[in-house]
Amino acid sequence: KKPGPGGVAAKKLMLFREVINEAVGDAISGLLAVEACLKLLDWSCEDWLARYDDLPNRQIKVAVKDRFIFETADAERRCVQPEGLQAEIDKLVAGVPLGRAFVRPSGTEDVVRVYVEAATVDETLKLGQAVVDLVFTRAAGVGSKPVVS
């Protein structure tokens, strides 16, 4: 008995899991996964790129006294420490169309990385500066406060 379309799709999905290294998420397995998806969908790279519009974004480093006061969750998209910081970021993001922002500590230097994106460049810059200002104030920023440009 041949499996139906659902069985074939389920088998492909299970095989797909074998390609991805969930523990480290390495780039090679990610590349192989993309290649597999393109092949299964019979898409070219151009087809794939045509389905995605990159939003204006910025990544900013904020020098801080102690990066270890920051803790994240949800694949580093939510800041759980310092307490209350994520709620303040969420308020800033709520007022920005297609806005998104997250902060995470660097693994190697006393900086916090701020990532922001929004519908327009102007909104991205404003949101970015607001989050940078917040992090700099809440985390005892050192040196000059970054200007988002």
Side-chain angles (χ1 to χ4, degrees), residues 10-108:
K11 182 172 178 147
K12 287 178 181 178
L13 186 59
M14 293 304 292
L15 289 171
F16 188 73
R17 285 188 58 210
E18 298 300 318
V19 173
I20 301 294
N21 185 333
E22 296 169 4
V24 296
D26 71 287
I28 297 298
S29 66
L31 179 64
L32 291 172
V34 168
E35 286 287 336
C37 289
L38 294 177
K39 179 73 173 163
L40 287 170
L41 295 169
D42 193 28
W43 285 4
S44 68
C45 289
E46 290 78 18
D47 295 331
W48 184 36
L49 289 172
R51 298 184 186 282
Y52 178 74
D53 288 321
D54 208 9
L55 290 174
N57 60 75
R58 294 292 186 277
Q59 186 171 326
I60 310 103
K61 288 188 345 182
V62 180
V64 296
K65 184 177 178 184
D66 180 11
R67 73 180 186 268
F68 296 107
I69 67 168
F70 285 83
E71 292 179 29
T72 61
D74 188 21
E76 297 190 326
R77 292 179 295 220
R78 305 286 300 166
C79 184
V80 295
Q81 289 294 331
E83 190 172 328
L85 179 62
Q86 187 63 54
E88 293 181 62
I89 293 171
D90 290 345
K91 284 180 191 174
L92 294 170
V93 169
V96 178
L98 299 177
R100 186 167 77 125
F102 54 85
V103 300
R104 67 172 189 81
S106 168
T108 58

Side-chain angles (χ1 to χ4, degrees), residues 123-142:
E123 290 165 334
T124 300
L125 298 177
K126 287 178 184 173
L127 177 59
Q129 192 63 59
V131 175
V132 163
D133 293 348
L134 183 62
V135 169
F136 195 85
T137 301
R138 291 282 308 269
V142 296

